[in-house]
Amino acid sequence: MSATENKYAFGMIGLGVMGRSLLLNMADHGFAVAGHDKDTGKVDSLNQEAGDRAAKGFADVKEFIQSLTTPRAIMMLVPAGKIVDAVIEELTPLLDKGDILIDGGNSHFTDTNRRVEELEAKGLHFFGMGVSGGEEGARRGPSMMPGGDKDAYAVMKPIFEAIAAKVNGEPCVTYIGPGASGHFVKMVHNGIEYGIMQVIAETYEILKKGLKVSNEEIGELFAKWNEGRLQSFLLDITKDIFKYKAPGTDHLLLDDIKDEAKAKGTGKWTSQVAMDLVTPIPTIDTSVSMRDLSKYKSVREKASAIYNEPIELQGDKEELLVALEQAFYFTSIVTYAQGMHLLTKASEEFKYDLHLGEIAKIWRGGCIIRSAFLSDIYNAYSKDQTLPHLLLDSDIAALVKETLPGIRKVLSATTAAGVGAPGYASALSYFDAFRSERMPSNLTQAQRDYFGAHTYELIGKEGTFHTQWAPAND
């Protein structure tokens, strides 16, 4: 796919950091590429960075379209929502039947479903593709999750496999499934990302407030953990954060950053659809809630003045650090397991026919949630493609049993000391309910029948039943 008569084989709309980085990645691999952005500054940046590579930026959309070989292949990397629809509306009159349009942003999967139908009716090939890895991933090798038009993906496969991150020589990209499956999988990826980030933040809180560990020691501990079974991209960048001091200062930049976390919505979407699919993902839900709670800074300050009390974990420090590593690993396992369970249910509900082992495989490199543990997930689903829940795999179960004492010890200590650890707590509570052969939900059913005549079912007897629970009036 080289330039032919000054024509380019692939086009990108949106030349922000991600779009520009992906184009340059493609150019590095010998593909002739063009980009378009209404911001002439971004167009100029691409042209300057391209150097002698076969990559060119265009400020005029018609010139951009005319520069592409046919059938055209164009990817959009613009903010999700109305902007995507606006770009599609502007593009479609300029395109011909058979052209390929790709949405590489974080679009909500329901929007992707709608766009698939609308563009198919116009004779255009369309698919949504999740892209993970941030700026560095886009430039050096991302993880990509394309879903939708399978024929269109087959055309794009050589480019995507060339630019993807590689693990053991295998590209971190695979066809996910029909419809909006690519964007759905990326959404769940982001939900897992929320969960792991929350656990890291809580670990920081436990170390700093509960164990009075210095920033330097925290950074060293994260670096040590990152060399073992907890190895992950998120832990790797965290250890770097604990080294960075702004020029001219003698303290960590981290200490100057407001404790009010922002979000773009993909975590919330994950929680919303999980509820629609009746699939519990409480650790991910909690992580979304804690970002929301962080925004109420003034309220928290007032509450702190009212409820302030000394905080210090009791117990042997070294023993607690060992337990904390176990607790971190346990909670990571449960967070991934919740995400994979949601993918299992979505595959059934939406007929995605997801291959969870392949999804875990492409997440091992390039993406934000890449970790050593993903190889264990890949192995679990490779053994049993119909595994209903990751925690039922025997090898995963062995890891869970090994780390259970740690999570129980840590939560006992944090609860007694008054250190908030909602992500950790949600993971353990989920697990303890998950392993319960008989939950107390029979009482819930009895209550529902009492106040609303909603009926209940009986053990070993077919049918539904209703009871007049209130005692008769004397």
Side-chain angles (χ1 to χ4, degrees):
M1 291 189 177
S2 58
T4 304
E5 297 177 358
N6 294 322
K7 294 247 178 178
Y8 299 89
F10 184 87
M12 178 74 69
I13 293 183
L15 297 179
V17 170
M18 288 290 289
R20 189 168 69 253
S21 297
L22 274 174
L23 274 188
L24 293 171
N25 187 350
M26 293 175 185
D28 284 343
H29 286 86
F31 300 102
V33 294
H36 164 68
D37 201 295
K38 294 183 184 299
D39 184 337
T40 56
K42 291 178 180 178
V43 173
D44 292 340
S45 292
L46 172 63
N47 289 329
Q48 289 170 10
E49 290 184 52
D52 59 359
R53 300 179 186 89
K56 184 176 180 181
F58 294 85
D60 183 272
V61 67
K62 290 183 179 179
E63 287 184 28
F64 164 73
I65 295 293
Q66 291 167 1
S67 76
L68 300 172
T69 56
T70 55
R72 303 176 186 89
I74 301 171
M75 182 172 174
M76 300 175 290
L77 260 177
V78 299
K82 294 180 180 179
I83 295 178
V84 177
D85 288 319
V87 171
I88 291 174
E89 187 176 350
E90 181 183 22
L91 277 183
T92 46
L94 306 174
L95 300 179
D96 299 320
K97 287 186 177 181
D99 286 348
I100 298 170
L101 195 56
I102 305 158
D103 179 5
N106 278 328
S107 289
H108 195 284
F109 77 100
T110 54
D111 288 337
T112 303
N113 284 333
R114 169 176 55 80
R115 291 165 187 150
V116 166
E117 294 179 3
E118 290 173 355
L119 291 169
E120 278 184 358
K122 296 178 180 179
L124 296 172
H125 298 282
F126 175 79
F127 64 90
M129 182 171 73
V131 180
S132 179
E135 177 183 0
E136 182 65 18
R139 187 67 185 86
R140 306 299 173 194
S143 173
M144 292 174 285
M145 295 147 260
D149 191 317
K150 195 170 187 178
D151 293 336
Y153 171 69
V155 174
M156 302 310 306
K157 184 178 177 181
I159 292 182
F160 293 149
E161 289 193 344
I163 68 168
K166 308 294 189 300
V167 174
N168 300 326
E170 298 177 304
C172 292
V173 59
T174 189
Y175 178 72
I176 297 296
S181 59
H183 276 147
F184 191 97
V185 168
K186 177 56 164 49
M187 177 189 69
V188 175
H189 162 289
N190 287 14
I192 294 170
E193 176 186 309
Y194 272 59
I196 302 299
M197 290 176 73
Q198 177 64 25
V199 172
I200 293 174
E202 290 180 17
T203 304
Y204 163 52
E205 176 103 330
I206 292 168
L207 290 167
K208 193 172 183 69
K209 283 188 180 177
L211 291 174
K212 314 302 180 187
V213 179
S214 69
N215 283 334
E216 184 179 1
E217 289 178 288
I218 294 173
E220 290 171 355
L221 185 66
F222 283 153
K224 179 183 176 182
W225 284 357
N226 194 51
E227 293 173 357
R229 61 182 177 179
L230 293 179
Q231 188 280 320
S232 68
F233 171 78
L234 285 169
L235 205 53
D236 193 43
I237 65 171
T238 303
K239 71 172 176 55
D240 291 343
I241 290 169
F242 275 89
K243 293 178 183 177
Y244 187 83
K245 297 178 181 178
T249 67
D250 60 356
H251 62 276
L252 294 184
L253 174 61
L254 176 65
D255 289 336
D256 292 335
I257 297 176
K258 286 184 176 181
D259 61 324
E260 299 175 63
K262 291 182 169 57
K264 290 189 175 179
T266 48
K268 178 184 72 175
W269 296 344
T270 308
S271 292
Q272 288 173 331
V273 76
M275 289 186 181
D276 291 339
L277 294 176
V278 198
T279 309
I281 54 168
T283 307
I284 294 171
D285 296 340
T286 296
S287 70
V288 176
S289 294
M290 289 305 103
R291 288 203 194 185
D292 290 343
L293 183 59
S294 77
K295 298 179 178 72
Y296 291 87
K297 177 69 172 177
S298 62
V299 176
R300 290 189 288 112
E301 287 175 337
K302 291 174 183 176
S304 177
I306 297 171
Y307 301 109
N308 189 33
E309 59 183 60
I311 292 176
E312 186 168 358
L313 265 64
Q314 300 299 312
D316 182 82
K317 178 180 174 182
E318 293 306 314
E319 289 182 2
L320 284 168
L321 290 177
V322 171
L324 190 56
E325 187 271 348
Q326 293 179 347
F328 190 120
Y329 197 49
F330 172 91
T331 306
S332 296
I333 293 171
V334 171
T335 303
Y336 279 107
Q338 290 174 11
M340 301 310 281
H341 189 212
L342 178 55
L343 290 180
T344 299
K345 295 301 293 182
S347 185
E348 296 170 0
E349 180 71 19
F350 302 132
K351 306 294 188 293
Y352 284 158
D353 189 28
L354 299 179
H355 297 273
L356 299 191
E358 290 301 303
I359 292 170
K361 189 176 180 181
I362 66 169
W363 282 351
R364 293 178 306 164
C367 79
I368 302 300
I369 64 168
R370 63 184 183 266
S371 67
F373 180 63
L374 278 162
S375 292
D376 296 289
I377 299 178
Y378 170 66
N379 291 336
Y381 288 107
S382 295
K383 284 186 295 181
D384 183 1
Q385 294 184 16
T386 63
L387 184 68
H389 198 290
L390 185 63
L391 296 181
L392 298 180
D393 175 76
S394 58
D395 293 327
I396 301 297
L399 296 174
V400 168
K401 289 176 181 178
E402 178 197 341
T403 53
L404 260 176
I407 184 81
R408 296 198 189 283
K409 185 180 184 71
V410 166
L411 283 173
S412 294
T414 55
T415 301
V419 178
Y424 278 119
S426 69
L428 182 59
S429 294
Y430 171 84
F431 171 77
D432 282 335
F434 177 81
R435 70 184 181 90
S436 175
E437 183 180 358
R438 183 170 172 83
M439 292 176 67
S441 308
N442 53 325
L443 178 56
T444 305
Q445 284 300 87
Q447 291 170 328
R448 293 178 70 249
D449 188 57
Y450 190 120
F451 66 68
H454 294 300
T455 73
Y456 54 84
E457 296 171 305
L458 290 172
I459 299 169
K461 186 178 287 189
E462 292 294 323
T464 56
F465 302 87
H466 170 58
T467 294
Q468 294 295 333
W469 297 90
N473 292 327
D474 293 335

